[in-house]
């Protein structure tokens, strides 16, 4: 016998065995009556059952590879019934179907789909995948190995662990897609050296319920509800539209006005020609918080800062040091204009501004150029 999935419901153990369900005798999970306790599932187009889930109304959902059915009246052997819910999707892994609230979420080739419980106590399939906002992530799934995927619901979140492409050796579930029920959106992909679950379980750890998981290496780990904010610099990049409407021009001057806070900026101009891009500053543009833009003005001393000296105008940068946290305004951006010279012949040059530290707000970009070539048009 090949047991793939099973649940305990209404005093009976229900097990997926190949193309059939084995249903134990009432209150006796070790025995079942052959023929009487065996239920063939729909085999016309759906293949073998992959998973069974206790549904929100107390019935049983049977998830085949491309089909979902509801097993009704389990406690009444003479009234057992299979009801088709959808033939659009099912489940591709025994451990990748869960209850998220009253609804069943399941992994399939469409992504992650939902069989919802209606107000009338019946189940209805949602034709739109609940993972539509992150559908690009499923392009990276290693589908031949997806039968090892697993899922769980915990702490107002739904977790789906999937194998991703590009692994060397045996594939493991090295990416976890997380949905936040409180925010109503995806937290996208979680990854880590030890975050490779083969199965999830909710257990009590030191008096608190934790989501635990086992890894293929034999480790048992659990997740806590603590977190650490990301404290590194966030790289950003802006690419402008192409200028001059396709007219061939000679670009010679670029002016950029921005509001900055401890930035590290690089400015370049993109050309249509391969490898003809121009970087306009050889080293990143940074600003010194102790220097002023005015000539002959004494340097600013962060160690002796007051509210008045901190706000004194014409300083290059107003990002505070550790000495100024009691006197500084934490989001004081300085407005500056930078001028660049270039020599570029192109039809639609684009300006790219990249920042790898602090903050920058782009106010305006002005690219000066003059037409080259003939501007005349032929009339007949």
């Amino acid at each position: 016998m090949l047991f793939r999935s099973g649940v305990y419901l209404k005093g009976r153990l229900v097990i997926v065995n190949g193309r059939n369900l084995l249903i134990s005798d009432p209150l006796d999970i070790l025995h079942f009556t052959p023929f009487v306790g065996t239920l063939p599932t729909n085999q016309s187009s759906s293949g073998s059952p992959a998973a069974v889930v206790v549904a929100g109304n107390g019935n049983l959902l049977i998830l085949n590879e491309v089909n979902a059915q509801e097993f009704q009246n389990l406690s009444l052997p003479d009234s057992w019934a299979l009801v088709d819910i959808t033939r659009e999707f099912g489940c591709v892994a025994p451990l990748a179907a869960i209850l998220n609230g009253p609804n069943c979420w399941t992994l399939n080739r469409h992504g992650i789909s939902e069989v919802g419980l209606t107000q009338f106590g019946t189940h209805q399939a949602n034709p739109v995948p609940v993972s539509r906002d992150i559908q690009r992530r499923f392009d990276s799934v290693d589908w031949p190995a997806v039968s090892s995927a697993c899922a769980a619901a915990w702490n107002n979140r739904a977790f789906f662990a999937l194998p991703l492409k590009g692994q060397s050796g045996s594939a493991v579930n090295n990416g976890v897609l997380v949905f936040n029920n409180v925010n109503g959106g995806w937290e996208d992909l979680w990854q880590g050296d030890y975050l490779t679950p083969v199965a999830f379980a909710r257990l009590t750890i030191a008096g608190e319920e934790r989501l635990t998981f086992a890894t293929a290496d034999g480790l048992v780990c659990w997740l806590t509800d603590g977190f650490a904010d990301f404290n590194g610099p966030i790289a950003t990049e802006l690419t402008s539209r192409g200028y001059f409407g396709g007219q061939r021009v000679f670009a010679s001057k670029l002016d950029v006005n921005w509001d900055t806070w401890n930035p590290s900026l690089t400015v370049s101009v993109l050309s249509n020609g391969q490898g003809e891009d121009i970087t306009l500053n050889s080293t990143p543009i940074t600003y010194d918080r102790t220097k002023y833009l005015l000539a002959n003005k004494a340097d600013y001393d962060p160690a002796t800062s007051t509210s008045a000296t901190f706000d004194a105008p014409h300083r290059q940068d107003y990002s505070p040091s550790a000495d100024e946290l009691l006197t500084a305004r934490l989001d004081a951006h300085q407005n500056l204009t930078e001028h660049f010279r270039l020599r570029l012949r192109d039809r639609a040059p684009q300006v790219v501004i990249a920042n790898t530290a602090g903050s920058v707000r782009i106010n305006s970009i002005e690219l000066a150029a003059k037409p080259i070539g003939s501007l005349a048009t032929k009339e007949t």
Side-chain angles (χ1 to χ4, degrees), residues 89 98 100 103-108 110-116 124-135 138 158 160 177-181 184-187:
F89 62 82
I98 58 170
N100 189 24
N103 304 324
C104 176
W105 284 23
T106 172
L107 175 66
N108 53 78
H110 299 290
I112 297 171
S113 301
E114 179 182 66
V115 175
Q124 183 175 359
N126 186 348
V128 180
V130 294
S131 59
R132 62 189 181 275
D133 293 336
I134 56 168
Q135 206 63 27
F138 293 92
F160 282 82
L177 296 175
V178 182
F179 183 86
N180 191 314
N181 291 317
W186 288 92
E187 296 180 2

Side-chain angles (χ1 to χ4, degrees), residues 10 16 29 78 80 86 94 145 163 243 256 269 354 368 371:
K10 296 183 178 179
V16 175
I29 65 173
D78 294 335
W80 287 353
T86 180
Y243 286 89
V256 181
V269 178

Side-chain angles (χ1 to χ4, degrees), residues 95 145 148-150 161 163 167-174 192-200 212-221:
L95 300 180
S148 66
C150 57
Q167 301 184 55
S168 59
S170 300
V172 298
N173 298 325
N174 59 336
D193 293 339
Y194 298 102
L195 192 58
T196 56
V198 295
F200 288 108
T212 65
F213 59 89
T215 71
D217 297 330
L219 299 177
V220 177
C221 312

Side-chain angles (χ1 to χ4, degrees), residues 189-247:
L189 187 69
W190 290 12
Q191 289 184 288
D193 293 339
Y194 298 102
L195 192 58
T196 56
V198 295
F200 288 108
R202 292 164 57 168
L203 301 175
T204 300
I205 307 294
E208 296 182 290
E209 184 186 69
R210 298 298 181 194
L211 181 63
T212 65
F213 59 89
T215 71
D217 297 330
L219 299 177
V220 177
C221 312
W222 66 83
L223 300 178
T224 69
D225 48 13
F227 65 94
D229 286 334
F230 177 70
N231 60 1
I234 300 175
T236 57
E237 183 176 286
L238 177 142
T239 301
S240 75
R241 62 178 176 84
Y243 286 89
F244 308 113
Q247 169 63 42

